[in-house]
């Protein structure tokens, strides 16, 4: 039986106040075959820093800047 991979794309821009809640929510999903792509559109706040710290702990998440 083949597993279907679901890709979630999360666009962000200056989302330092909400991004961790969003990523925690996605991480809490029970479906194991997720590929999560976070696209940061040149945020000027701490968004990229927060995302980078988060993805170190979870290999299913990728950041594109």
């Amino acid at each position: 039986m083949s597993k279907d991979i679901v890709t979630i794309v999360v666009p962000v821009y200056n989302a330092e106040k909400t991004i961790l809640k969003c990523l925690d929510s996605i991480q809490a999903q029970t479906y194991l075959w997720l590929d999560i792509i976070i696209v940061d559109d040149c945020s000027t706040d701490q968004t990229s820093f927060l995302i980078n710290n988060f993805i170190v702990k979870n290999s299913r998440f990728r950041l594109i800047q």
Side-chain angles (χ1 to χ4, degrees):
M1 179 175 167
S2 155
K3 301 292 182 189
D4 292 326
I5 296 176
V6 174
T7 300
I8 299 172
V9 178
V10 182
V12 297
Y13 177 74
N14 289 350
E16 69 181 355
K17 294 180 182 177
T18 58
I19 191 62
L20 291 180
K21 184 175 181 179
C22 173
L23 299 179
D24 284 338
S25 175
I26 295 169
Q27 184 179 22
Q29 300 304 307
T30 58
Y31 189 73
L32 297 177
W33 302 99
L34 291 177
D35 179 32
I36 302 99
I37 301 170
I38 307 159
V39 181
D40 181 13
D41 190 17
C42 301
S43 292
T44 58
D45 62 1
Q46 295 296 313
T47 300
S48 295
F49 176 76
L50 294 171
I51 293 169
N52 279 316
N53 285 339
F54 185 89
I55 64 176
V56 166
K57 302 171 194 165
N58 195 324
S59 63
R60 296 187 303 173
F61 290 77
R62 292 183 285 150
L63 175 61
I64 298 174
Q65 293 178 302

